Amino acid sequence: ATSGAASVEERILKSNPILETFGNARTVRNENSSRFGKFIALQFDDDGQLVGSRIQTYLLEKVRIVSQSDGERNYHAFYQLLAGTPAELIDEWGLGKPKDHHYTNQSSTVGLTGHSDAELREETEEALATMGFSQEQRLGVWRTLAALLHLGNVAFQGDEEAEVTSPTANSAELAASLLGVTEPDLAKVLTHKRLEVGGKTMFKRLTPADATTARDALCKQVYGRLFEWLVARVNDSIR
């Protein structure tokens, strides 16, 4: 193979750790189970040399982001975040251990057999760098995951009208800061439903149960869009 083809092959191989980190999870039957569909098209020139590739993904299992059965885990990325992030960033972002976050403490299983999440995080970082993700972009990916863990800790109180509870106000504040929005704006999005009535915009306060559903829906959408963005950037690199 030519050096150009070898470079393409290397980048195609480096796409695997990225897709596995953000799209694979530990299940009861498989510690590295792919929780999305994938179709890979390989592109060759007239001489039969590999010159590019394109990955198409679909049906990411978004419900896993907000709930897991015992013996299973959320996506690997969350555990790599908590195990491999530098201590100063863990402190700045207000992160704890898997047991401290609702989206990683619903199962008694937090590790992998024979693999360190911290070491896997290093492999993911290396793969992201090889694929052309800048340091700022890589930091943004982990920062977004940190925001989702804090969002998952936001709880609601009230009989009919949801309010962010005092004990978790810090979670809402941290999530808002990491997402680049204000805490009051985030709280309003989580506790109110926007209605268009007669050309006017109105807001109806949600019940605590509906606010919890809205919180989880927001997290699933943000993670889903992050995954799609990662795949798009990977395709730019291996095209």
Side-chain angles (χ1 to χ4, degrees), residues 154-165:
V154 174
F156 307 94
Q157 65 179 6
D159 295 326
E160 292 298 325
E161 297 189 344
E163 293 182 3
V164 175
T165 58

Side-chain angles (χ1 to χ4, degrees), residues 221-235:
Q221 281 297 313
V222 171
Y223 192 89
R225 293 189 183 196
L226 173 65
F227 186 73
E228 290 173 1
W229 177 79
L230 286 164
V231 173
R233 285 302 313 265
V234 165
N235 276 327

Side-chain angles (χ1 to χ4, degrees), residues 161 188-189 191-197 200-206:
E161 297 189 344
K188 185 170 185 177
V189 165
T191 58
H192 290 74
K193 181 178 183 179
R194 179 173 172 166
L195 302 170
E196 300 289 341
V197 181
K200 295 182 179 180
T201 301
M202 302 175 63
F203 291 91
K204 177 185 178 183
R205 189 176 284 272
L206 299 172

Side-chain angles (χ1 to χ4, degrees), residues 62-73:
K62 293 179 183 175
V63 69
R64 180 171 296 274
I65 299 156
V66 301
S67 64
Q68 309 88 41
S69 301
D70 196 38
E72 303 199 345
R73 299 205 314 176

Side-chain angles (χ1 to χ4, degrees), residues 134-167:
S134 68
Q135 184 174 4
E136 183 181 3
Q137 288 172 329
R138 299 197 302 271
L139 193 64
V141 168
W142 300 113
R143 184 186 176 100
T144 301
L145 295 180
L148 295 185
L149 286 183
H150 285 304
L151 265 179
N153 280 5
V154 174
F156 307 94
Q157 65 179 6
D159 295 326
E160 292 298 325
E161 297 189 344
E163 293 182 3
V164 175
T165 58
S166 299

Side-chain angles (χ1 to χ4, degrees), residues 39-191:
F39 175 80
I40 301 179
L42 300 177
Q43 300 157 342
F44 298 89
D45 64 14
D46 291 339
D47 297 323
Q49 299 289 346
L50 181 64
V51 294
S53 176
R54 178 167 180 79
I55 299 170
Q56 183 177 343
T57 62
Y58 48 93
L59 296 177
L60 179 71
E61 185 187 34
K62 293 179 183 175
V63 69
R64 180 171 296 274
I65 299 156
V66 301
S67 64
Q68 309 88 41
S69 301
D70 196 38
E72 303 199 345
R73 299 205 314 176
N74 204 328
Y75 288 103
H76 296 324
F78 290 104
Y79 306 89
Q80 291 183 21
L81 166 74
L82 296 176
T85 299
E88 61 270 19
L89 278 181
I90 288 283
D91 186 55
E92 180 184 333
W93 293 349
L95 295 171
K97 303 293 184 184
K99 65 180 176 61
D100 300 314
H101 299 284
H102 177 58
Y103 287 164
T104 51
N105 70 7
Q106 298 172 51
S107 167
S108 59
T109 301
V110 295
L112 296 171
T113 305
H115 293 283
S116 157
D117 284 307
E119 291 177 1
L120 291 172
R121 160 73 178 267
E122 291 180 11
E123 291 181 17
T124 301
E125 279 285 309
E126 180 192 347
L128 288 167
T130 299
M131 300 301 277
F133 288 82
S134 68
Q135 184 174 4
E136 183 181 3
Q137 288 172 329
R138 299 197 302 271
L139 193 64
V141 168
W142 300 113
R143 184 186 176 100
T144 301
L145 295 180
L148 295 185
L149 286 183
H150 285 304
L151 265 179
N153 280 5
V154 174
F156 307 94
Q157 65 179 6
D159 295 326
E160 292 298 325
E161 297 189 344
E163 293 182 3
V164 175
T165 58
S166 299
T168 57
N170 191 43
S171 294
E173 185 180 327
L174 285 165
S177 174
L178 289 164
L179 289 171
V181 299
T182 68
E183 195 275 333
D185 283 347
L186 178 62
K188 185 170 185 177
V189 165
L190 295 176
T191 58

